[in-house]
Amino acid sequence: MAKKIKMKLKVIAFDADDTLFINEPYFQETEQKFCGLMEDYLSHQGISQELFRVEIDNLKIYGYGIKAYILSMIEAAMRISNNTISIEVIEKIIEYGKELLEKPIVLLDGVEETLEVLHGKYKLIVATKGDLLDQRRKLHDSGLGHYFHHIEVMSDKQEKDYSDLIKRLEIQPADFFMIGNSLKSDVLPVLAIGGHAAHIPFHTTWEHERIDHTIEHKNFYAFEKMTDVLKKVQ
């Protein structure tokens, strides 16, 4: 039997996108449609690179989420075309964005089983980035909302953001356990402030969330799938 994690947890937090339910593949699908729309100007690789640059430049203004992505696609299209795109192209980009907002919620394997076991034993929360309205909609449509004490939609996931969250929860960092698919956003900043964090990889990750080094830390746990959490924490 796997050895249980020796810690006195009070709060277990879950990232939402690509941790609880599918997200990034929908963005990649939309990006491919955008590249096809703009392929008269650049190669698909060139279009993707320009879109990524615009997204990163706009994070400090728009933050994360689908609405920010729609605005970045429009701006990227204007840059790529040297401001010559038609209103029809802009309408098409907005249509792509609305389709993205209406994508079905598909739970990842083992998510509900894990939440069912942990519910009532710990305070469970969602700690995610993105647009507040959209993330609340997705959680509602997922059918998982009743497992969580609340949903925390964060403007970013830096050390200060987690510290502020922990203060609002009125706990100590050692009482907090974050679970997510991003080493950069869900793991590193939590470890840095003294919390516990687990990584559950998803098969595809947004380039902005990737890191190029391994993590070795006494409070870090690497799981292959969501139900592995139950082998450590119950």
Side-chain angles (χ1 to χ4, degrees):
M1 179 179 293
K3 187 178 180 181
K4 295 292 187 292
I5 297 172
K6 292 182 178 180
M7 51 184 171
K8 293 183 178 179
L9 294 176
K10 293 181 179 177
V11 175
I12 301 180
F14 294 82
D15 176 51
D17 297 330
D18 300 321
T19 297
L20 299 178
F21 35 70
I22 291 174
N23 180 66
E24 181 60 20
Y26 294 149
F27 276 85
Q28 293 183 348
E29 176 186 314
T30 302
E31 182 176 317
Q32 287 305 307
K33 291 194 289 187
F34 175 72
C35 289
L37 187 66
M38 301 300 298
E39 63 186 1
D40 288 344
Y41 298 93
L42 277 177
S43 68
H44 280 216
Q45 181 180 6
I47 294 166
S48 290
Q49 289 173 344
E50 184 60 30
L51 175 58
F52 180 71
R53 281 193 289 268
V54 173
E55 285 184 88
I56 299 306
D57 287 347
N58 284 338
L59 282 178
K60 60 184 178 296
I61 303 171
Y62 302 141
Y64 297 84
I66 295 173
K67 294 170 189 173
Y69 187 63
I70 296 170
L71 291 170
S72 290
M73 282 194 291
I74 293 172
E75 183 177 341
M78 293 173 66
R79 286 192 192 181
I80 291 166
S81 69
N82 196 25
N83 296 325
T84 62
I85 56 168
S86 65
I87 190 66
E88 287 78 18
V89 171
I90 294 177
E91 288 175 341
K92 200 67 178 176
I93 293 171
I94 293 172
E95 179 185 318
Y96 292 162
K98 287 182 177 179
E99 290 173 356
L100 193 53
L101 284 163
E102 295 171 353
K103 289 292 186 182
I105 304 302
V106 179
L107 297 183
L108 294 175
D109 291 344
V111 165
E112 189 154 20
E113 174 187 345
T114 302
L115 295 176
E116 180 71 37
V117 172
L118 297 178
H119 184 242
K121 298 179 180 179
Y122 303 93
K123 180 182 288 185
L124 305 182
I125 71 169
V126 173
T128 188
K129 294 185 291 191
D131 177 79
L132 177 61
L133 180 62
D134 185 44
Q135 294 292 21
R136 287 189 179 278
R137 174 193 62 80
K138 288 195 288 188
L139 188 62
H140 176 271
D141 291 349
S142 73
L144 300 176
H146 64 285
Y147 290 113
F148 296 104
H149 181 266
H150 77 276
I151 176 172
E152 184 83 14
V153 180
M154 306 161 76
S155 59
D156 206 346
K157 284 183 169 180
Q158 304 292 331
E159 292 175 30
K160 184 180 185 304
D161 301 292
Y162 282 107
S163 293
D164 290 345
L165 171 60
I166 285 169
K167 287 178 183 176
R168 286 195 295 275
L169 292 168
E170 298 182 332
I171 59 173
Q172 297 300 312
D175 302 326
F176 183 78
F177 187 29
M178 180 71 200
I179 299 170
N181 69 295
S182 171
L183 290 168
K184 180 179 179 180
S185 292
D186 301 319
V187 172
L188 290 176
V190 175
L191 296 178
I193 63 171
H196 302 264
H199 179 239
I200 302 176
F202 190 63
H203 64 81
T204 184
T205 304
W206 185 31
E207 185 178 349
H208 182 61
E209 295 293 339
R210 298 173 189 166
I211 64 171
D212 58 3
H213 59 88
T214 58
I215 298 176
E216 292 187 10
H217 192 286
K218 63 183 178 65
N219 290 352
F220 172 63
Y221 310 93
F223 299 142
E224 293 183 1
K225 56 187 183 298
M226 181 61 75
T227 52
D228 287 348
V229 174
L230 301 178
K231 297 176 182 178
K232 294 286 187 178
V233 179
Q234 280 196 30

